[in-house]
Amino acid sequence: HDGEINYLEWISATLQPQLIDSTRNMREVFDWFDEDGNGFISSEELASVLSSIEGGAEQLLEFDANSDNKLDWKEFQQFMHKLAKQRVF
């Protein structure tokens, strides 16, 4: 760890776990990232939405289980569940 807090870590630290882990909230965030509405979050969409967040797209793409350079709904849910679990004290 580099000793700095990035945006995704900040989100994880400031949101209540039940808000992060809510399917409805997850879907809203997923749809926000999925700019073209095709049911996937491409690396280009991640870069567009997270352009001001250093390393944000790369962190999310760590959950790209099938290495197709985009996140599907299941991969995105796994990311959000991990964020929620990090917040449980």
Side-chain angles (χ1 to χ4, degrees):
H1 194 58
D2 61 8
E4 295 183 17
I5 297 175
N6 66 41
Y7 182 71
L8 297 176
E9 291 167 333
W10 180 80
I11 288 173
S12 175
T14 59
L15 289 177
Q16 296 176 8
Q18 57 271 32
L19 291 177
I20 297 170
D21 214 21
S22 157
T23 301
R24 190 183 106 227
N25 290 341
M26 273 189 236
R27 179 49 81 174
E28 287 179 21
V29 173
F30 182 87
D31 291 343
W32 181 65
F33 276 101
D34 181 17
E35 294 176 328
D36 64 8
N38 70 351
F40 296 94
I41 303 170
S42 69
S43 59
E44 292 82 12
E45 288 168 325
L46 286 172
S48 171
V49 173
L50 300 174
S51 62
S52 64
I53 303 162
E54 185 176 330
E58 291 82 11
Q59 286 183 353
L60 282 169
L61 283 174
E62 290 176 12
F63 290 85
D64 179 16
N66 59 3
S67 300
D68 61 357
N69 211 29
K70 59 186 175 186
L71 297 179
D72 61 27
W73 173 237
K74 184 177 179 181
E75 293 165 335
F76 184 76
Q77 284 181 304
Q78 290 171 344
F79 164 73
M80 295 298 283
H81 288 309
K82 182 181 178 189
L83 277 182
K85 286 179 184 175
Q86 289 176 347
R87 284 285 297 132
V88 178
F89 295 107

